[in-house]
């Protein structure tokens, strides 16, 4: 399952590079770092944490466009898939 979050993190790192606004880049960076912690750490996020990340990504998606929006959309989809997998486990 961590492969899904790794892909989401990679998408977020790309989105961070293309985001126009420093505040948006910071939000993307923070979420990507959280995902990195889940991928390389010993703990997995619970539903509440995943929901928080999903809400953050949805808000960011409304603030961006172009390549950044596409990367955020991919990260959002991967996170939603991960959350579904956690729910079923």
């Amino acid at each position: 399952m961590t492969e899904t979050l790794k892909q989401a993190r990679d998408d977020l790192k790309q989105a961070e590079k293309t985001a126009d606004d420093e505040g948006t880049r910071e939000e993307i960076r923070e979420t990507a770092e959280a995902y990195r912690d889940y991928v390389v750490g010993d703990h997995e996020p619970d539903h509440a944490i995943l929901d928080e990340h999903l809400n953050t990504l949805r808000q960011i998606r409304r603030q961006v466009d172009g390549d950044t929006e596409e990367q955020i959309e991919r990260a959002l989809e991967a996170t939603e898939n991960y959350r579904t997998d956690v729910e079923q486990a």
Side-chain angles (χ1 to χ4, degrees):
M1 284 196 299
T2 58
E3 189 62 35
T4 305
L5 285 183
K6 182 181 180 306
Q7 181 60 50
R9 185 196 69 202
D10 293 345
D11 290 331
L12 290 171
K13 295 304 279 180
Q14 290 300 314
E16 179 186 350
K17 294 176 185 177
T18 60
D20 293 333
D21 178 68
E22 180 58 37
T24 302
R25 280 193 298 275
E26 182 61 29
E27 286 183 88
I28 294 169
R29 186 178 307 118
E30 288 174 5
T31 305
E33 289 174 5
Y35 285 20
R36 179 185 51 85
D37 291 345
Y38 304 140
V39 171
V40 299
D42 293 341
H43 65 284
E44 292 184 14
D46 61 23
H47 290 140
I49 291 171
L50 288 171
D51 287 344
E52 183 178 322
H53 291 311
L54 286 167
N55 288 335
T56 299
L57 292 175
R58 288 179 186 122
Q59 290 172 4
I60 292 170
R61 182 179 57 188
R62 286 185 226 127
Q63 300 168 5
V64 297
D65 57 9
D67 291 339
T68 307
E69 183 179 16
E70 290 175 26
Q71 296 294 333
I72 294 296
E73 184 63 37
R74 282 197 285 254
L76 185 58
E77 288 175 16
T79 304
E80 288 170 339
N81 290 338
Y82 182 84
R83 189 186 186 294
T84 300
D85 290 346
V86 167
E87 196 171 274
Q88 292 174 355

